Amino acid sequence: MALILAWAKGRGEIDVNPCEKGGRTYRATRNEFVWSDQQEAAFLASAPAHLHLPLILALWTGQRQGDLLKLKWMQYDGEFIRLRQGKTGVHVTIPVGAPLKGMLDPLRQKAGNVLLTSEGNPWSPDGFRTVWGRACRAAGISDVTFNDLRGTAVTRLAIAGCTEAQIATITGHTLRDVRSILDSNYLNRDVAMAVEAIRKLEARTKSPN
């Protein structure tokens, strides 16, 4: 259609081609897509062992796929992971939680990439996406992606009681982006949060004798 209208405009048949430089009509967001505990368990039960670390690393750091695939062992000192985010240039220092530390320490090297293929080679972005997608399909996971693990980390930190500022310090998001992710997910979060909120209100409220 755009070519036809361009031809007509070139011949003077029309004054304007409405298909020319139309631009984007919307901005996509996946803020509402969050990995559930069940999906995490299904992936770990089904996926090959060399894909377990990428999952846990993403969930416990909230970093982008590209930054994690480039992560070097020298950026982990046994207590913190330090990196400069490729997309934004933001420097983050991430305390390493016990589940992630338990996976990193037995594999720790003096140099090289943290995440490797089953052959022990660094991942290419396309290669990782292909293998990850195949593993997700094998685990019956079709509605969330690796990129959704970043928002999942934000949501889980909030459920654990972290403030927006604390979350942003770990993940490198802006406070506005953290708030946007949480706004998309809080209506669907675990009912345990609602129960905890009522318990706090009960504790604060003095019932009449």
Side-chain angles (χ1 to χ4, degrees), residues 74-143:
M74 65 174 56
Q75 295 171 262
Y76 171 56
D77 64 6
E79 186 177 0
F80 296 95
I81 288 175
R82 295 176 172 86
L83 61 84
R84 180 178 182 270
Q85 295 182 334
K87 183 176 181 179
T88 63
V90 171
H91 290 268
V92 291
T93 299
I94 308 160
V96 175
L100 176 56
K101 182 177 174 62
M103 297 188 73
L104 288 174
D105 286 354
L107 302 172
R108 192 175 175 187
Q109 304 289 326
K110 292 183 178 180
N113 288 47
V114 173
L115 298 181
L116 300 173
T117 67
S118 58
E119 290 80 23
N121 300 315
W123 287 100
S124 69
D126 288 341
F128 182 81
R129 280 190 290 269
T130 298
V131 174
W132 184 269
R134 187 184 303 130
C136 283
R137 289 190 294 274
I141 300 170
S142 60
D143 56 340

Side-chain angles (χ1 to χ4, degrees), residues 139-161:
I141 300 170
S142 60
D143 56 340
V144 287
T145 68
F146 187 92
N147 291 334
D148 295 324
L149 292 168
R150 182 160 158 81
T152 303
V154 170
T155 303
R156 291 187 179 186
L157 286 165
I159 291 174

Side-chain angles (χ1 to χ4, degrees), residues 57 67-73 75 81 83 112-114:
L57 190 60
D67 292 324
L68 294 179
L69 294 183
K70 295 177 182 177
L71 187 68
K72 308 292 186 181
W73 282 112
Q75 295 171 262
I81 288 175
L83 61 84
N113 288 47
V114 173

